């Protein structure tokens, strides 16, 4: 979009420069050494100049809109990256908190002399395998530390 705008601006400037530099007669329009037969009156030359100005303004608008779109896209991508990083940080903090709670629950059950509670198996995180085999038997008989894990599957 920006390239097309630059192309239109360059074309308008080239045509305008050609008209200004090659026009010596008041009503004879010469563009790049060639006489334009349709434009013989002053008002026709004026309308041709207005047409060149419209092309120039259109090109400038395309440049502006393309640059504005690029800026918006970059800003949106930056915001999404920041949001993703914030989400990852929040998830990591939540994971650490849950690991601490699980460790605390295991320690408190060991202190009470009871059988340690089995933790639900989590998928291996970042290539580190989960510790120990899965508990054998019916899952509903295994004590859980939260209502989420009390479900019988």
């Amino acid at each position: 979009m920006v390239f097309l705008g630059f192309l239109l601006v360059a074309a308008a400037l080239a045509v305008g420069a050609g008209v200004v530099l090659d026009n010596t007669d008041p009503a004879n329009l010469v563009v790049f050494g060639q006489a334009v037969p349709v434009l013989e009156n002053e008002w026709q030359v004026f309308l041709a100049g207005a047409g060149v100005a419209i092309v120039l303004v259109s090109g400038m608008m395309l440049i502006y809109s393309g640059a504005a779109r690029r800026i918006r896209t970059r800003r949106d991508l930056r915001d999404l990256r920041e949001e993703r990083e914030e989400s990852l940080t929040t998830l990591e903090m939540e994971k650490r908190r849950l690991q601490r709670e699980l460790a605390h629950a295991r320690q408190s059950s060991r202190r009470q002399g009871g059988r340690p509670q089995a933790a639900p198996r989590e998928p291996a995180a970042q290539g580190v395998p989960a510790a120990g085999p899965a508990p054998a038997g019916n899952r509903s008989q295994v004590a859980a530390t939260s209502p989420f894990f009390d479900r019988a599957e």
Side-chain angles (χ1 to χ4, degrees):
M1 188 83 113
V2 173
F3 176 73
L4 183 60
F6 278 126
L7 193 63
L8 287 175
V9 169
L13 290 175
V15 169
V19 168
V20 170
L21 296 175
D22 290 340
N23 245 349
T24 56
D25 298 329
N28 187 15
L29 183 62
V30 179
V31 179
F32 300 115
Q34 298 293 325
V36 180
V38 180
L39 304 175
E40 297 173 353
N41 296 326
E42 289 179 7
W43 64 272
Q44 292 171 332
V45 174
F46 174 77
L47 289 178
V52 170
I54 288 173
V55 171
L56 176 71
V57 170
S58 299
M60 294 300 285
M61 286 175 50
L62 284 173
I63 290 171
Y64 175 75
S65 66
R69 181 185 303 155
R70 179 171 286 152
I71 289 170
R72 265 193 319 271
T73 302
R74 285 183 180 177
R75 182 179 54 232
D76 290 346
L77 286 174
R78 184 185 65 235
D79 290 345
L80 286 173
R81 272 190 224 108
E82 289 173 357
E83 188 176 311
R84 179 180 156 266
E85 289 296 323
E86 184 178 306
S87 174
L88 285 175
T89 303
T90 303
L91 288 173
E92 288 173 358
M93 290 172 48
E94 180 70 12
K95 178 184 172 189
R96 287 188 201 114
R97 184 186 66 80
L98 290 173
Q99 286 174 340
R100 283 192 306 268
E101 286 180 14
L102 179 61
H104 180 70
R106 284 181 178 169
Q107 288 175 356
S108 65
S109 69
R110 286 184 187 139
R111 284 188 209 139
Q112 293 173 358
R115 184 175 167 209
Q117 298 175 346
R121 292 190 51 96
E122 295 181 17
Q126 300 175 357
V128 178
N138 188 357
R139 286 183 177 244
S140 62
Q141 295 174 354
V142 176
T145 59
S146 81
F148 177 77
F149 297 111
D150 285 342
R151 297 182 296 172
E153 295 181 298

